């Protein structure tokens, strides 16, 4: 169990001693990534700091409603050394990508705030609670511990990350404290309809077409307990989908009644990206760890260093069957 109050006090000291502060997260932004970053940028601005969100990726359309995205800056446009670099929702420094990692390494002081149990504690100050369902929950508790007052924008960001990384409060990592934090965030007049419509009710036609293509590739194994789907480069091109449009497909497969483990294999130019989701008893991290990956018990990812989808399927299924 981490001493959040003590670690939060150290964070506060670092923030107050710094003027120019960089904030960043992992590549392939998701709700907890963007929620925690925009909440932190909002708080730093509220405290009068010069905060920059270092972004080396594109933001999915469903999250463009979030506040404080105007403070983004590409690594290519950064020349200065930051007094402080705060990494959020990144289990290791490589997850941020090489360009941001260089800026992180060059910064005078570094902080790592996360909830992944595979976190490598790569910063000067590490605030990692692997029992928490979302980095946004950790961040909300930090702000509360330091008696830092939120506003509507910060609360909206925190709620978005909390909602998305808990599967709309469905995952087993959710506890009573999660609901208390969500309840407290509502005190800041969050527009729940704005979050709901943008995040959950704005699937594009392109994303829908990609989902249909992926589902046409589905294969079942072990009495339908394991299901595998492909997203090929051809699928992406023909559906005119964006990179983030593959998000949600593996969860859709997991929700099939007989399926315990859903596997998504996404073809890239030089590798295959692996996404895993389980329901009850398969530990996704034990499968992902065999493929240069990690994450959470019920949700993990990895990278397969070749482009043979059929071989990748056979290899992943073989490892998964050992967990059945």
């Amino acid at each position: 169990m981490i001493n959040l109050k003590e670690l939060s006090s150290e964070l506060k000291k670092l923030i107050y001693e710094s003027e120019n502060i960089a904030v960043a997260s992992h590549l392939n932004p998701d709700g907890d990534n963007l929620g925690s970053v925009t909440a932190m940028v909002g708080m730093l601005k509220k405290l009068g700091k010069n905060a920059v969100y270092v972004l080396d990726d594109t933001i999915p359309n469903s999250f463009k409603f979030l506040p404080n995205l105007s403070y983004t800056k590409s690594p290519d446009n950064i020349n200065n050394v930051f007094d402080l670099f705060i990494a959020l929702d990144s289990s290791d420094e490589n997850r941020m990508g090489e360009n941001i990692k260089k800026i992180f390494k060059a910064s005078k002081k570094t902080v790592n705030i996360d909830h992944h149990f595979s976190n490598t504690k790569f910063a000067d100050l590490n605030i990692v609670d692997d029992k928490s369902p979302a980095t946004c929950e950790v961040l909300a508790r930090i702000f509360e511990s330091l008696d830092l007052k939120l506003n509507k924008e910060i609360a909206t960001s925190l709620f978005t990350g909390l909602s998305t990384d808990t599967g709309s409060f469905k995952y087993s990592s959710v506890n009573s404290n999660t609901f208390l934090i969500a309840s407290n965030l509502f005190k800041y007049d969050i527009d729940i309809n704005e979050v709901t419509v943008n995040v959950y009710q704005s699937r594009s036609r392109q994303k829908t077409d990609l989902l249909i293509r992926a589902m046409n590739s589905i294969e079942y194994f072990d009495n339908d307990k394991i299901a595998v789907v492909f997203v090929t480069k051809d699928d992406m091109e023909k559906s005119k989908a964006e990179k983030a449009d593959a998000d949600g497909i593996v969860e859709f497969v997991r929700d099939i009644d007989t399926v315990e483990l859903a596997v998504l294999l996404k073809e890239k130019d030089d590798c295959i990206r692996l996404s895993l989701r389980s329901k009850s008893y398969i530990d996704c991290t034990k499968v992902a760890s065999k493929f240069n990956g990690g994450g959470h018990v019920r949700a993990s990812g990895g990278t397969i260093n070749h482009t043979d989808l059929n071989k990748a399927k056979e290899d992943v299924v073989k490892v998964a069957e050992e967990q059945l």
Side-chain angles (χ1 to χ4, degrees):
M1 190 75 176
I2 67 169
N3 188 331
L4 189 70
K5 191 168 186 62
E6 184 179 309
L7 293 170
S8 298
S9 295
E10 291 182 46
L11 172 63
K12 186 176 183 179
K13 185 173 183 289
L14 285 172
I15 289 173
Y16 277 93
E17 289 174 348
S18 305
E19 185 58 36
N20 297 308
I21 303 174
V23 182
S25 189
H26 60 76
L27 295 172
N28 301 310
D30 57 29
D32 198 25
N33 167 320
L34 292 164
S36 58
V37 167
T38 54
M40 179 58 85
V41 169
M43 182 58 74
L44 293 172
K45 289 292 182 180
K46 197 166 177 284
L47 295 172
K49 300 299 177 179
N50 178 26
V52 174
Y53 170 18
V54 187
L55 178 68
D56 197 23
D57 213 324
T58 54
I59 296 171
N61 288 330
S62 55
F63 294 109
K64 286 183 178 176
F65 76 97
L66 285 171
N68 299 311
L69 291 176
S70 60
Y71 297 110
T72 58
K73 204 168 185 181
S74 166
D76 296 336
N77 298 324
I78 291 174
N79 305 312
N80 59 304
V81 172
F82 289 97
D83 300 320
L84 181 64
F85 191 114
I86 302 174
L88 292 145
D89 199 42
S90 287
S91 55
D92 61 73
E93 55 195 342
N94 294 320
R95 289 275 285 122
M96 295 185 289
E98 283 302 315
N99 294 329
I100 294 179
K101 181 181 172 181
K102 288 176 186 173
I103 297 168
F104 175 86
K105 289 284 194 184
S107 299
K108 295 175 184 176
K109 292 288 182 181
T110 58
V111 175
N112 158 34
I113 301 173
D114 188 31
H115 73 123
H116 295 94
F117 87 95
S118 56
N119 192 285
T120 58
K121 313 288 175 61
F122 55 90
D124 298 320
L125 174 63
N126 299 286
I127 308 177
V128 180
D129 185 357
D130 60 15
K131 299 293 188 290
S132 179
T135 297
C136 277
E137 189 197 60
V138 179
L139 200 53
R141 286 162 51 210
I142 290 171
F143 292 159
E144 183 181 15
S145 172
L146 296 175
D147 199 27
L148 293 173
K149 302 302 179 187
L150 311 186
N151 55 31
K152 181 178 179 178
E153 291 187 340
I154 295 170
T156 297
S157 291
L158 291 173
F159 179 79
T160 299
L162 191 56
S163 173
T164 54
D165 236 38
T166 59
S168 298
F169 304 94
K170 296 193 298 284
Y171 295 160
S172 57
S173 55
V174 171
N175 54 60
S176 60
N177 196 48
T178 312
F179 289 104
L180 285 172
I181 289 170
S183 176
N184 287 331
L185 293 175
F186 268 86
K187 295 175 182 176
Y188 296 93
D189 297 321
I190 293 171
D191 185 344
I192 186 64
N193 193 60
E194 179 186 40
V195 177
T196 301
V197 169
N198 279 283
V199 177
Y200 301 112
Q201 298 174 352
S202 296
R203 186 177 61 239
S204 67
R205 176 177 173 178
Q206 290 82 2
K207 183 168 183 169
T208 304
D209 289 347
L210 184 64
L211 171 63
I212 292 168
R213 284 180 172 275
M215 292 307 295
N216 281 331
S217 74
I218 196 165
E219 292 184 57
Y220 297 95
F221 302 88
D222 294 272
N223 296 318
D224 300 344
K225 289 186 178 71
I226 298 172
V228 181
V229 290
F230 296 152
V231 169
T232 66
K233 291 190 292 182
D234 189 55
D235 291 334
M236 294 293 292
E237 184 178 341
K238 286 183 176 174
S239 62
K240 297 183 173 59
E242 297 180 359
K243 180 173 65 172
D245 287 338
D247 296 346
I249 293 174
V250 69
E251 288 85 358
F252 190 87
V253 175
R254 177 206 56 205
D255 293 347
I256 298 168
D257 60 353
T258 62
V259 172
E260 165 60 22
L261 179 71
V263 179
L264 170 67
L265 296 170
K266 185 178 181 184
E267 183 185 31
K268 310 288 280 184
D269 287 336
D270 57 353
C271 66
I272 295 167
R273 287 292 298 159
L274 168 67
S275 293
L276 302 161
R277 298 293 184 273
S278 69
K279 274 192 188 127
S280 304
Y281 55 87
I282 286 186
D283 184 342
C284 291
T285 63
K286 290 183 178 178
V287 180
S289 65
K290 304 292 185 182
F291 302 97
N292 311 297
H296 302 289
V297 172
R298 299 283 167 256
S300 294
T303 303
I304 298 168
N305 294 317
H306 61 74
T307 56
D308 186 333
L309 284 167
N310 283 316
K311 180 176 179 355
K313 174 190 66 180
E314 291 168 5
D315 291 345
V316 173
V317 169
K318 183 179 178 181
V319 173
E321 286 175 336
E322 295 170 3
Q323 301 298 318
L324 279 176

